[in-house]
Amino acid sequence: MNLNRVVITGVGALTPVGNNAPDFWDGLTEGVSGAAPIQNFDAAKFKTKFACEVKNFDPTKYIDPKESRKLDPFTRYGIVAAEEAISDSGILNDNINKERTGVIWASGIGGMQTIVSEVGEFTRGDGTPRFNPFFIPKMIPDISAGHISIKYGFQGPNYATVSACASSANAIADAYNLIRLDMADIIICGGSEAAINEAGVGGFNAMHALSTRNDDPATASRPFDKDRDGFVLGEGAGGLILENLEHAIARGAKIYAEITGVGLTADAHHITAPCPDGTVVARAMKVAVEMGGNKITEVAHINTHGTSTPVGDIAEIKGIVSLFGEHTPNIAINSTKSCTGHLLGAAGAIETIATAFAVKNNLVPPTINHFTDDENITSLQNLNIVFNKKQEKVVDLALCNTFGFGGHNVSIAIKKYNAR
């Protein structure tokens, strides 16, 4: 069968280094750190006292205050990022078929702040069950997709993907496949997360997953550095408009880049630790590249999952080296989590946007906070990790990697658009 080509025609971002997509990109390319002492709650007694929070965000500028109170922060973030992407794409100015326009919006956790607040109120009370009537609709992970579709009347495929930190990458993969198979013309896809609260920080602290570099938060997220000690928790949202190429051309849409393939694999190894040799991750990247008829020697850039954990970073680099071999030094490797922290279920969305911008602009943002080489990484190959300073490079084909607890791996191939 003939498969549709799929392009990105709109983007939106709400992140710790920028509250819209252009500012987000500027923050990345300038190497801005989004990490700072936590403002959302009193973290004095926690092992980790900092995070990458969204800053200077007033939801009432975008959402009616009465309606905003009915929403968890993760949904507010999602609505704002989706609105920017939709506006950027111009789809509402054209006579699109809303029955063939869908929303696939992810969250790894959903309304965690709502759960913390509601359960906290109950346990502090006298045992009488007094719960907000919006408790359930505020906390379920699929509710952002519902709100976005309701707001704009999109009646196509509508659901959430949940695969921990790979959630929004899976949303993009599903959107890509639905359009490719002609089951939709347009999909608004992405994800949002708001887990910087007592339970989020406390839970990840209990796993020893977070950095505890409280004396210097701005340098705490240091992917691939010898002294990395865990990830920095982030929050926010990213949204993309994926569209059938012919449909996009017919309405005169601007095109950021083309998605040419997705690779989905499972480590089948451990609930939180990656497969240490990186072979399963390598297979995801290989599938993503070859799905679009491309060769691995064409890959010029990889935006890694690169969370700044001792085990995860080296496993991913091993996977890259095992797949690309002698071509590895030709690939500009980075991790934008060094700037944004780890947005969990929203990570794949904002990092796909960053990768698409790298392809469009021939510019790879830096992996900031590199101070000391890790010989366990540098000894594997002559690597071109873009440390501390952005790198100008022609990028015709790039990969964006996102992995989640449970062994979920997603790699997305993003190519410079040409009419062929």
Side-chain angles (χ1 to χ4, degrees), residues 138-356:
K138 285 174 72 172
M139 57 81 88
I140 51 179
D142 67 296
I143 203 66
S144 293
H147 276 292
I148 295 165
S149 69
I150 291 167
K151 180 175 181 177
Y152 298 101
F154 299 143
Q155 296 180 327
N158 184 270
Y159 58 93
T161 51
V162 180
S163 50
C165 302
S167 296
S168 57
N170 273 120
I172 295 166
D174 276 15
Y176 166 77
N177 281 320
L178 286 174
I179 295 171
R180 202 164 65 113
L181 294 170
D182 203 38
M183 297 176 68
D185 297 327
I186 300 169
I187 301 283
I188 294 84
C189 60
S192 50
E193 205 78 89
I196 301 176
N197 50 52
E198 295 89 339
V201 174
F204 283 116
N205 267 160
M207 297 174 63
H208 303 286
L210 297 181
S211 170
T212 55
R213 203 177 298 276
N214 295 300
D215 58 333
D216 193 7
T219 70
S221 183
R222 46 179 75 184
F224 313 118
D225 188 88
K226 180 181 179 180
D227 298 320
R228 63 193 184 277
D229 70 330
F231 72 82
V232 178
L233 189 58
E235 65 176 357
L240 301 93
I241 308 301
L242 300 197
E243 189 167 354
N244 178 337
L245 174 60
E246 291 185 2
H247 189 275
I249 291 173
R251 68 179 189 86
K254 70 172 178 293
I255 295 172
Y256 285 96
E258 180 174 3
I259 294 181
T260 57
V262 295
L264 312 174
T265 62
D267 279 346
H269 172 69
H270 188 271
I271 58 171
T272 57
C275 186
D277 64 7
T279 54
V280 185
V281 165
R283 183 160 54 86
M285 291 186 283
K286 186 173 187 290
V287 170
V289 172
E290 294 180 349
M291 185 178 289
N294 300 302
K295 300 176 182 178
I296 61 171
T297 52
E298 296 178 63
V299 175
H301 166 46
I302 300 175
N303 190 340
T304 63
H305 186 57
T307 58
S308 185
T309 58
V311 175
D313 287 8
I314 191 169
E316 185 172 8
I317 292 295
K318 284 182 177 179
I320 290 170
V321 172
S322 71
L323 175 62
F324 294 97
E326 294 181 357
H327 179 62
T328 305
N330 300 317
I331 302 171
I333 297 169
N334 78 339
S335 171
T336 49
K337 288 186 181 72
S338 60
C339 294
T340 66
H342 191 353
L343 269 64
L344 307 179
I350 66 165
E351 288 160 20
T352 297
I353 293 170
T355 310

Side-chain angles (χ1 to χ4, degrees), residues 59-71:
T60 61
K61 291 182 178 180
Y62 310 91
I63 305 167
D64 177 79
K66 183 178 179 181
E67 292 303 311
S68 181
R69 288 193 293 271
K70 302 174 185 177
L71 307 174

